[in-house]
Amino acid sequence: MSTQAPDLPLSVMICDDEAPARARLRDLLADIAPELPNDVLAEADNGVSALAAVRSRRVDVALVDIRMPKMDGVELARHLSQLEHPPAVIFVTAYDAYAVQAFELNAVDYLVKPVRARRLLAALQKVMLSRRQAPAPPASVQLAARSHLSCHERGRLLLIAVSEIVYFRADLKYVAARTSDREYLLEESLTHLEHEFGEQFIRLHRSVLAAREAIIGFEKSVCHDDAETQWQAILRDIPERLPVSRRQWPLLKSYARQLSS
């Protein structure tokens, strides 16, 4: 005699920028509910809205489109994986070119539109199976640079737009990300951030990366400890000066000349 699994029904979030596509998934989920009970707890039309939706509720699985404004589905999946209780991710897209990236992100499945009910059911059954197994380790792959970084603060997941970050500063086990308004603590390594955002940020010091667009010049200062001259970076909109190490200064000279020209 079979019994219903105790972890049913599945709670679902649908994230797609097209309303008809979201409606189609809702209808399919309703069609397969007799075989696999489910509840749609949240909907969103982009990755940023999706993360806001899961702050106040826990979902078991996210059905995620890939091409969306503000934050695409691939980046959304990376942020979802940082949640205390990350949902399983199933990509639902009209494009099959992202399949490799999807599975590198440990997505449970990858569905190409138009999705059929039996195919969606099979994907959700995989979610049920994966929930009873040990989670797979995160993949170590080279992905496109993120547009946002996530920060855990007082039980909330906050998003910081990379374009608004003035500098990163390493401090013990955390990295501080400074915007013009405030500072955020990230559980990231400075080395990884430099590798991912090397085109946008430049290393000034072993513990500091600064946004290239935020640097408006360099000036000399006297270090009172040894009376030697040290260079500092001048930033736009922030009175704070950032130290430039002796080791980095030769590499920054050409950049300084570009700023002054």
Side-chain angles (χ1 to χ4, degrees):
M1 178 178 174
S2 63
T3 59
Q4 180 174 296
D7 46 1
L8 290 176
L10 277 180
S11 57
V12 181
M13 175 176 68
I14 299 172
C15 185
D16 194 302
D17 62 324
E18 297 182 354
R22 297 196 300 273
R24 163 77 174 166
L25 286 173
R26 283 198 308 274
D27 291 343
L28 291 175
L29 288 165
D31 290 342
I32 65 175
E35 292 181 74
L36 198 155
N38 62 82
D39 290 323
V40 178
L41 297 188
E43 292 189 28
D45 59 5
N46 63 71
V48 175
S49 298
L51 283 170
V54 296
R55 286 175 189 163
S56 58
R57 59 187 72 102
R58 178 176 171 179
V59 297
D60 298 318
V61 58
L63 303 177
V64 178
D65 189 19
I66 289 185
R67 289 193 180 179
M68 295 183 292
K70 296 185 180 180
M71 179 190 292
D72 66 24
V74 171
E75 183 170 349
L76 169 61
R78 295 167 74 180
H79 287 296
L80 289 174
S81 70
Q82 302 303 310
L83 295 174
E84 183 179 0
H85 301 288
V89 173
I90 296 173
F91 285 111
V92 184
T93 178
Y95 306 92
D96 59 7
Y98 298 93
V100 173
Q101 268 194 337
F103 289 112
E104 285 172 342
L105 284 164
N106 294 322
V108 172
D109 211 332
Y110 185 95
L111 310 182
V112 178
K113 299 174 182 176
V115 179
R116 305 302 178 192
R118 303 309 302 178
R119 185 68 181 87
L120 178 59
L121 175 62
L124 292 177
Q125 287 171 335
K126 287 184 184 179
V127 173
M128 298 302 304
L129 180 62
S130 68
R131 289 174 67 185
R132 301 186 184 105
Q133 298 174 340
S140 177
V141 294
Q142 178 62 41
L143 298 170
R146 291 166 286 178
S147 63
H148 293 72
L149 298 178
S150 53
C151 165
H152 293 274
E153 187 176 279
R154 298 186 183 91
R156 299 178 301 157
L157 182 72
L158 306 180
L159 287 180
I160 311 106
V162 174
S163 61
E164 296 179 3
I165 296 174
V166 178
Y167 67 78
F168 297 108
R169 187 196 295 271
D171 182 17
L172 299 177
K173 62 180 289 190
Y174 294 99
V175 168
R178 178 73 158 87
T179 68
S180 59
D181 298 324
R182 55 163 292 189
E183 196 171 82
Y184 300 86
L185 294 182
L186 310 176
E187 295 183 12
E188 307 248 8
S189 76
L190 204 66
T191 300
H192 178 81
L193 290 168
E194 182 179 26
H195 181 69
E196 184 174 355
F197 302 108
E199 294 185 1
Q200 297 164 258
F201 291 81
I202 190 168
R203 185 175 285 274
L204 302 182
H205 190 275
R206 67 177 180 275
S207 62
V208 178
L209 297 174
R212 295 173 185 268
E213 293 296 322
I215 300 173
I216 58 175
F218 295 89
E219 66 179 11
K220 291 181 179 179
S221 68
V222 175
C223 180
H224 297 292
D225 293 337
D226 54 16
E228 288 190 17
T229 300
Q230 183 180 20
W231 287 95
Q232 294 181 324
I234 307 170
L235 305 173
R236 180 180 291 107
D237 300 328
I238 291 183
E240 182 181 357
R241 301 291 191 261
L242 294 179
V244 176
S245 68
R246 295 186 184 92
R247 180 179 179 179
Q248 291 299 120
W249 177 242
L251 301 175
L252 290 165
K253 278 185 178 179
S254 60
Y255 189 68
R257 284 194 289 268
Q258 292 175 28
L259 291 174
S260 61
S261 62

